[in-house]
Amino acid sequence: MDDFVSESDSDYTSYWRDWFISSRGNEYFCEIDEDYLTDRFNLTGLNTEVQYYQYALDLVTDVFDLDCDDEMRETIEKSARHLYGLVHARYIVTTRGLAKMLEKYKKGDFGKCPRVMCHSHPLLPMGLSDVPHLKPVKLYCGRCEDIYNPKSSRHAAIDGAYFGTSFHNILFQVYPALIPAKSAERYIPRVYGFKVHSAAALIRWQNNQRDDMRRRLRKMEVESGFKDADDEIEADEDEDEDEDEELGAEQFQAAEAGGLVEGEIRTVA
C-alpha cells in the first residue's frame, strides 16, 4: 500500500475515493458511501490507530484544504489509505457493503480458484487477522474451503485487516444461495493407468475419514453438503449392520460349540 504514486492535487483532492478505487492494486476494494464515512459512530476508535486522523478523514471525504509541504502531504495520504482500509473492513459487513462486494464476487474481480477440481470457482478476499500490519490479504474458495495467495504482488501487499476474518463467512450467511456444492472430486495419481500405492492408501484413509464425518453429521441431523454421497453412505451403513449381525451369529455359534454359553469355565492346559 505504500507504493502508490502520488497524483496531482486535482486528481486526488476533489475525488479522492474515485482515485483510490481506480488505482492499480486496489481492485479488491469497493467504494464506501459518503454517508457511512461521515457518521462518527462508524469511525469509533480509529482516531487512536491512524496518524493525523482528522487530516486523513478530511482527505478521504474530499474536504482537505491544508497547505503543507510534499513530505507532510505524503504522510497524510498514507494515513488516508490506512484509514480507508480500516473503515472498509467495517463497511463490507453491512447490508450495503455486502451487496457491493457481492457484485464484484459475481464478476470474478477477486480471481478464480487455482485448484483444477474447483473449475475456476470465484474467490473472496479475507484476512487471517483483524489486527493491522500482521497478515496480508488471502483469497478464500467456497467450494474447496481453502485459502490461496493473490497472483499479483500488488494485491499480495494489501493488509488482510482491511477485509477482516469474518467477511467471507458473513457473505455466505446472508446469501445462502451462493454456497457452492462441495465437490468430492479428487485427483488420483496413476502410473500407466494404475494408482500409485502410497497415494492410493492415503486417499482411502481420507475417504474413510470423510465418510465417518458424514455419518456423524447424519446422526446429528446436520446438513453435510455432500448430496451425491448420501445414498452410498446409507448403503454402506446397511452393509455394516448385516456384517455385524452375521459376525455376531458366528461368534455365538462358536461360543456355544465351545460350551461357553452356559457360563462354563474351561481351563486351557
Side-chain angles (χ1 to χ4, degrees), residues 33-214:
D33 294 334
E34 184 174 357
D35 293 342
Y36 190 89
L37 284 169
T38 54
D39 188 342
R40 297 289 177 172
F41 177 78
N42 300 323
L43 310 178
T44 303
L46 297 182
N47 59 327
T48 60
E49 298 186 35
V50 180
Q51 187 181 20
Y52 300 112
Y53 167 78
Q54 190 57 53
Y55 292 142
L57 181 59
D58 290 344
L59 183 58
V60 172
T61 54
D62 302 323
V63 295
F64 183 80
D65 59 356
L66 178 67
D67 187 13
C68 57
D69 55 25
D70 293 341
E71 183 177 354
M72 183 65 175
R73 189 70 178 228
E74 180 62 30
T75 302
I76 295 175
E77 285 182 10
K78 181 180 177 180
S79 297
R81 293 194 292 268
H82 183 50
L83 175 62
Y84 190 91
L86 295 177
V87 178
H88 185 267
R90 300 181 178 186
Y91 177 72
I92 59 177
V93 295
T94 64
T95 303
R96 179 63 176 163
L98 286 170
K100 289 186 177 182
M101 295 297 279
L102 175 61
E103 292 301 319
K104 297 174 70 67
Y105 171 71
K106 289 181 177 179
K107 293 188 295 184
D109 289 351
F110 309 118
K112 307 289 185 179
C113 181
R115 183 174 179 268
V116 175
M117 299 301 181
C118 286
H119 306 292
S120 299
H121 191 78
L123 299 170
L124 282 171
M126 61 162 288
L128 296 177
S129 174
D130 292 315
V131 180
H133 311 306
L134 286 184
K135 298 287 186 179
V137 68
K138 303 296 180 182
L139 297 173
Y140 171 79
C141 175
R143 184 179 293 272
C144 63
E145 297 182 334
D146 210 342
I147 58 176
Y148 302 91
N149 291 318
K151 290 183 178 180
S152 172
S153 58
R154 291 178 179 270
H155 296 153
I158 299 175
D159 198 320
Y162 296 165
F163 299 90
T165 58
S166 303
F167 156 68
H168 58 293
N169 292 319
I170 293 177
L171 182 72
F172 288 130
Q173 291 292 326
V174 176
Y175 301 101
L178 295 179
I179 300 176
K182 302 300 182 292
S183 174
E185 283 187 273
R186 298 184 61 84
Y187 169 70
I188 301 177
R190 297 177 183 273
V191 175
Y192 297 114
F194 296 97
K195 295 180 182 179
V196 178
H197 182 269
S198 60
L202 175 61
I203 290 175
R204 285 196 298 270
W205 178 83
Q206 291 174 332
N207 289 335
N208 289 335
Q209 294 294 320
R210 188 182 296 108
D211 292 341
D212 291 341
M213 178 194 68
R214 293 172 184 167

